[in-house]
Amino acid sequence: MKFTAALALPLLAAAAPASEPTSNPNFGVMAVRSASPIHYLQMNAVGQKFYLGGKTASYCPDQVTHCPPGNQTIFTPGGSSLDVNVPGGQQVYVDPKGALSFTQAHSANIPAGSAIGPFVYSPDEPWAHYSFNGWGASGFMACPTEDSRWQVFAAIQNATVPKGDVEECLGFSALALPYDGDVPAWQYI
Ligand SMILES: *[C@@H]1O[C@H](CO)[C@@H](O)[C@H](O)[C@H]1NC(C)=O
Ligand SMILES: *[C@@H]1O[C@H](CO)[C@@H](O)[C@H](O)[C@H]1NC(C)=O
């Protein structure tokens, strides 16, 4: 299934998917928080962090013959890493400020004081959900940035958010949309 808002909206309104889904698939994430500016925005990897809306940031070296499009942010089963070709992969973690983050390609470096999980994929019907349950959090929130984007944080009161006030953040439900296409990106940047 392609992961686009245009495609997912009619699917959301329809009944459960026709084909039997894999119980633990790769997936993309869409935020659900009705009557809010983040409702139905896709989660995108940008600058080793994640944002709702906007575009995925990715890179593929010239010497790679068949570069994937790199325009969708897809997690591997369970949500502890990203679905990439780059050797070593890219791990997902929550940084010491509470920001959902991913490792740079060719580096396993995760800052001290980060949480590497638990990330949880719940295969609820009809739609699965993705969550971070470390530090007593139950899921994610989106916080406004100075440049008018929504950055993804663990839903914790003590997060250090871009504009300083955690009360401005919106908790959201992270819908996990199964993805069964080719590896979507060489690496996220
Ligand atoms: C990604 O790029 C490919 C190739 O340009 C295009 O066919 C596809 O529709 C794009 N997908 C998304 C989700 O933007
Ligand atoms: C927030 O509080 C939790 C629970 O007290 C603690 O484990 C965690 O390190 C703190 N995280 C941040 C980002 O300050």
Side-chain angles (χ1 to χ4, degrees), residues 2-5 42 68-73:
K2 271 195 200 155
F3 176 48
T4 67
Q42 291 175 42
N71 56 1
Q72 299 187 81
T73 297

Side-chain angles (χ1 to χ4, degrees), residues 94-98 113 135-136 156 158-160:
V94 175
D95 79 7
K97 291 182 171 178
W135 292 338
I156 48 172
N158 58 353
T160 305

Side-chain angles (χ1 to χ4, degrees), residues 9 12 40 43 49 54 61 63 66 76 84 92 96 107 114 131 137 141 156 161 167:
L9 291 182
L12 280 169
Y40 291 149
M43 194 186 286
K49 305 297 175 195
Q63 59 268 32
H66 297 291
T76 57
V84 291
V92 176
S107 167
S114 299
S131 181
M141 60 186 181
I156 48 172
V161 301
E167 299 304 323

Side-chain angles (χ1 to χ4, degrees), residues 21 41 75-76 96 112 129 135 164 170:
L41 293 185
F75 293 82
T76 57
H129 288 86
W135 292 338
L170 300 175

